[in-house]
Amino acid sequence: MSQYDVIIIGAGPAGCASALFLHQKGLRVLVLDRTSFPRDKVCGEFISPAADDILEELGVLDTIQQSNPVRLQGVAISSYGKPELCIDHPPCPGRVKPMTSLSLSRLQLDHLLVQKLTEQGVEVRERHAVDDFLFEENRVTGVKGQDEANRPFTF
Ligand SMILES: Cc1cc2nc3c(=O)[nH]c(=O)nc-3n(C[C@H](O)[C@H](O)[C@H](O)COP(=O)(O)OP(=O)(O)OC[C@H]3O[C@@H](n4cnc5c(N)ncnc54)[C@H](O)[C@@H]3O)c2cc1C
C-alpha cells in the first residue's frame, strides 16, 4: 500500500492550499478528489483582498493576473427600491498596495490550483471518491474508496 504523510480529501481551494504548504515543508502529500478538473462550483466568486498575499505565496497570483481578472474596488449593497450603498475597501494598516479584490470564476481558480499542485510534484488523483477511513488502534491511518471505474482503492 502507498505511504503518505498526509492525505487530503478534496482538491478545492482549502485542499490545494493545504497540500501546497505541506509539500513546501517537505511532507509527502496525496490529494484525492471525486470529480475531475476543471469543475465548476456555485460561488459568488468574490475573493477577499486579504487573499492576494496567500495566492502569491501559493505561486498562483501571477498566472491569475495574466488572465486579466476583474479587480473590485469595494462592495455594493443593494435591495429592491432602495438606494445602493457602495463602500470602497478600507486601507489595510501596513499595506502599501491599494486594497482591491479579485473576482475570478471558480472554474478557473480551482483548476489553476490543481495545476499548480501537479506542477510542484504533488500527487493528485482525480475521480477518486473517498467513502471510509482505515483505522489502527483507534487512529485514522488511511482512506478507502472507489475510482471512476468503481475499482476499490486504499491509501
Ligand atoms: C452560493 C455560495 C456562494 C459563495 N460565494 C463565495 C464568495 O463569493 N467568496 C468566497 O470567498 N466564498 C464563497 N462561498 C464559499 C466558498 O465556496 C467555500 O468557502 C469554498 O468553496 C470552500 O473551499 P473548500 O476547498 O473547503 O471546498 P470546495 O471548494 O467545496 O471543494 C471540496 C472538494 O472536495 C471534493 N470532495 C468532497 N467530498 C469528497 C469525497 N468523499 N471524496 C473525494 N473528494 C471529495 C469535491 O469534489 C470538491 O472538489 C460561497 C458558497 C456558496 C455555497
Side-chain angles (χ1 to χ4, degrees), residues 13-72:
C16 286
S18 306
L20 281 165
F21 287 133
L22 292 168
H23 175 75
Q24 283 164 11
K25 295 224 175 281
L27 295 177
R28 188 153 180 235
V29 182
L30 170 67
V31 181
L32 301 166
D33 202 294
R34 63 186 171 197
T35 63
S36 62
F37 291 81
R39 65 110 172 84
D40 215 348
K41 151 93 181 68
V42 176
C43 189
E45 301 181 340
F46 166 88
I47 305 176
S48 156
D52 266 43
D53 292 346
I54 299 167
L55 293 170
E56 190 164 26
E57 214 181 322
L58 289 168
V60 293
L61 189 60
D62 281 350
T63 318
I64 292 174
Q65 304 281 34
Q66 283 159 22
S67 70
N68 276 331
V70 176
R71 278 263 173 204
L72 307 170

Side-chain angles (χ1 to χ4, degrees), residues 9 129-133 143-146 153:
I9 307 163
V130 174
D131 56 26
D132 208 351
F133 299 112
V143 295
K144 54 183 169 180
Q146 296 187 329
F153 65 77

Side-chain angles (χ1 to χ4, degrees), residues 4-153:
Y4 300 91
D5 297 313
V6 181
I7 298 173
I8 294 176
I9 307 163
C16 286
S18 306
L20 281 165
F21 287 133
L22 292 168
H23 175 75
Q24 283 164 11
K25 295 224 175 281
L27 295 177
R28 188 153 180 235
V29 182
L30 170 67
V31 181
L32 301 166
D33 202 294
R34 63 186 171 197
T35 63
S36 62
F37 291 81
R39 65 110 172 84
D40 215 348
K41 151 93 181 68
V42 176
C43 189
E45 301 181 340
F46 166 88
I47 305 176
S48 156
D52 266 43
D53 292 346
I54 299 167
L55 293 170
E56 190 164 26
E57 214 181 322
L58 289 168
V60 293
L61 189 60
D62 281 350
T63 318
I64 292 174
Q65 304 281 34
Q66 283 159 22
S67 70
N68 276 331
V70 176
R71 278 263 173 204
L72 307 170
Q73 304 300 319
V75 296
I77 303 165
S78 61
S79 65
Y80 292 110
K82 303 279 181 197
E84 194 175 70
L85 179 64
C86 296
I87 309 163
D88 280 352
H89 293 310
C92 179
R95 193 186 166 95
V96 188
K97 285 188 246 173
M99 293 292 277
T100 61
S101 54
L102 281 165
S103 182
L104 190 71
S105 82
R106 291 292 297 269
L107 192 82
Q108 274 178 289
L109 176 70
D110 294 17
H111 191 210
L112 225 145
L113 287 166
V114 170
Q115 283 175 319
K116 193 70 184 176
L117 290 185
T118 316
E119 210 182 285
Q120 297 290 308
V122 178
E123 191 175 337
V124 183
R125 291 187 187 235
E126 299 177 30
R127 297 177 294 273
H128 276 60
V130 174
D131 56 26
D132 208 351
F133 299 112
L134 304 177
F135 291 91
E136 267 172 43
E137 293 168 9
N138 289 328
R139 288 175 56 235
V140 174
T141 53
V143 295
K144 54 183 169 180
Q146 296 187 329
D147 68 14
E148 64 176 333
N150 283 331
R151 282 183 300 248
F153 65 77

